[in-house]
Amino acid sequence: FFSGTMSTGTGADNTEKAGSGTHPPRCLNMNSVYELKPKSYDLKCVTGSPNRGLAEAVVNRLGIELTPARVGTFANGEIDIKILGNVRGDDLYIVQPTCASNGCDLNTSVMELLLMIHTLRLASAKRITAVVPHFAYARQDRKTEARVPISASAVAQLLMAMSVDRVVTVDLHCGQIQGFFHNTPVDNLTGYFLFAEYFKMKHGEDTKDFVIVAPDAGAVEKARNLADKLSASHVVTILKRRVEKNKVDSMQIVGDVAGRACIIVDDMIDTGGTMVKGVNLLKDNGATDIYACCTHGILSDPACERLNGCDALKEMIVTDSIPQEDHEAKCPKLKVISLAPLLAKAISLIHHEQSLGVNLFKPDVCGTPIRAVLNTFSPQ
């Protein structure tokens, strides 16, 4: 690097001539520097408190292990996070539904997500993707009256402020929420094809005779997509007038359901009051068997009690975007489909820079038959 001499720059004559004396020349061996191999661009996943079971199922599908992380609280309630492994230069995926579960309230789960993104950014992760199956505050996506927030936009701004590179979510309450993420890619995966496979397994060709029901105007597109997957010929809509949050004043059906089996499809179910009223309305109008499927089973009390008390409802199908163990124990009608294969394939495609639109909904998910998406669940 230096040919022959090297000076300390102090003015004193501290030069040493190559090959003279007993000391070798002071040279920097650049060859030893170039022998260092660049770190591989590894795929890694971390998770927080709300739904560790889903994260573990995802990494099992991917054939990797969760990157260890300490996620807890200090004595004063502040969140304590530390990533316990090297993530420099890696492709990180934070599997973190923003929901209340496992002793973690909804706002804490949001804060955990923000701090994990920030922590990974400081740890020099090359790319950070937030995998948020259930996106909190999505119902507050516009101003419906004076002096109220657009909370979905605020959450999106918080994620962008933490410099997240990408967001993956499932069945946003409103697709336009993607527009709140300026210059940040958002992949809004859909769960309706999982429900379609479930009903095909359970009813076979009889699904063509089903009526797919949208419980409100916002769910019409979901109902139409499910109808296309099941080759169902009828789609009807329930019009409702809501007087306040979680309370509906009146409902009416646009379409004919008499003598037909019905499937109500929506993105989420919370307290279950509107769902039960819709089921009873369908029954009063001559529907036979009635099923309901919602991607996100929030099931706040007294939802399970209401579902159990609704004799007209045969089954309530949800995914595990939110942990359902406690709800399953309370509600025998509840059936749970795992999102793990869908999320795992999405993560794998993103990591390998492949198209989600072209590859995600091919006849296999993560190299297994599509019905393995149902996590070996066999409906009776």
Side-chain angles (χ1 to χ4, degrees):
F1 187 64
F2 297 102
S3 71
T5 64
M6 182 174 181
S7 174
T8 63
T10 60
D13 186 11
N14 291 328
T15 61
E16 293 178 330
K17 293 187 176 181
S20 64
T22 59
H23 300 288
R26 286 172 159 179
C27 297
L28 177 62
N29 185 0
M30 294 301 292
N31 290 331
S32 64
V33 175
Y34 289 116
E35 287 173 0
L36 293 174
K37 296 181 179 179
K39 189 178 184 298
S40 61
Y41 182 53
D42 293 333
L43 186 161
K44 293 183 178 179
C45 292
V46 297
T47 190
S49 305
N51 199 344
R52 188 175 182 86
L54 176 60
E56 290 175 344
V58 168
V59 296
N60 287 340
R61 289 277 180 178
L62 292 169
I64 61 176
E65 294 183 357
L66 279 173
T67 297
R70 184 183 71 214
V71 181
T73 57
F74 293 106
N76 64 351
E78 294 177 356
I79 296 172
D80 172 29
I81 289 179
K82 179 178 175 63
I83 306 300
L84 302 177
N86 180 23
V87 296
R88 183 181 296 273
D90 289 330
D91 189 15
L92 265 294
Y93 295 82
I94 306 170
V95 183
Q96 178 87 352
T98 47
C99 59
S101 63
N102 300 325
C104 173
D105 65 73
L106 185 148
N107 293 318
T108 298
S109 69
V110 173
M111 198 64 191
E112 281 186 7
L113 175 61
L114 296 174
L115 290 180
M116 279 194 285
I117 295 170
H118 180 62
T119 303
L120 293 171
R121 183 62 65 200
L122 295 179
S124 300
K126 187 172 183 179
R127 181 171 65 180
I128 302 170
T129 300
V131 182
V132 191
H134 176 256
F135 191 87
Y137 292 100
R139 284 179 283 186
Q140 302 175 49
D141 57 0
R142 65 194 183 282
K143 289 189 70 173
T144 56
E145 55 184 313
R147 298 176 298 279
V148 297
I150 306 176
S151 304
S153 175
V155 174
Q157 291 179 55
L158 288 170
L159 289 169
M160 289 187 293
M162 294 297 101
S163 301
V164 69
D165 294 302
R166 192 180 201 95
V167 175
V168 177
T169 187
V170 182
D171 279 336
L172 284 171
H173 185 64
C174 177
Q176 288 85 339
I177 290 174
Q178 297 171 79
F180 294 151
F181 291 87
H182 308 295
N183 301 318
T184 300
V186 178
D187 297 305
N188 183 26
L189 309 182
T190 54
Y192 64 83
F193 91 102
L194 300 175
F195 299 133
E197 286 300 319
Y198 173 85
F199 287 109
K200 286 179 181 178
M201 288 174 60
K202 188 178 181 68
H203 298 282
E205 294 298 319
D206 292 341
T207 57
K208 295 180 180 179
D209 299 323
F210 275 69
V211 174
I212 311 303
V213 182
D216 53 39
V220 170
E221 183 180 357
K222 297 179 180 67
R224 188 178 66 248
N225 289 333
L226 181 59
D228 290 343
K229 281 290 181 182
L230 294 176
S231 300
S233 57
H234 290 73
V235 177
V236 305
T237 305
I238 296 177
L239 299 182
K240 59 187 180 185
R241 181 174 177 269
R242 194 182 293 275
V243 291
E244 58 182 280
K245 296 179 180 64
N246 295 320
K247 289 187 179 180
V248 173
D249 179 45
S250 62
M251 305 176 75
Q252 64 186 63
I253 296 175
V254 179
D256 182 24
V257 299
R260 293 178 176 270
C262 295
I263 301 173
I264 302 175
V265 58
D266 207 351
D267 63 301
M268 66 175 68
I269 175 173
D270 193 354
T271 59
T274 304
M275 177 66 70
V276 168
K277 285 186 177 182
V279 170
N280 290 331
L281 180 65
L282 292 172
K283 194 67 175 179
D284 292 341
N285 281 265
T288 55
D289 296 334
I290 303 173
Y291 303 86
C293 53
C294 298
T295 305
H296 309 296
I298 302 172
L299 298 175
S300 305
D301 288 335
C304 290
E305 181 181 346
R306 285 173 172 169
L307 293 176
N308 289 334
C310 182
D311 296 332
L313 179 66
K314 296 199 70 173
E315 287 182 351
M316 178 76 239
I317 302 101
V318 299
T319 73
D320 59 351
S321 64
I322 297 171
Q324 299 296 336
E325 292 82 2
D326 292 342
H327 300 148
E328 285 183 286
K330 296 178 182 177
C331 183
K333 294 182 180 181
L334 194 66
K335 309 297 180 186
V336 182
I337 298 174
S338 178
L339 285 176
L342 178 65
L343 296 176
K345 186 169 185 180
I347 289 171
S348 179
L349 290 171
I350 294 169
H351 176 68
H352 292 98
E353 308 295 345
Q354 300 295 310
S355 168
L356 292 183
V358 173
N359 299 298
L360 186 61
F361 297 109
K362 282 184 175 180
D364 70 281
V365 176
C366 286
T368 61
I370 194 168
R371 294 190 175 182
V373 173
L374 301 180
N375 202 24
T376 68
F377 174 70
S378 300
Q380 301 298 322

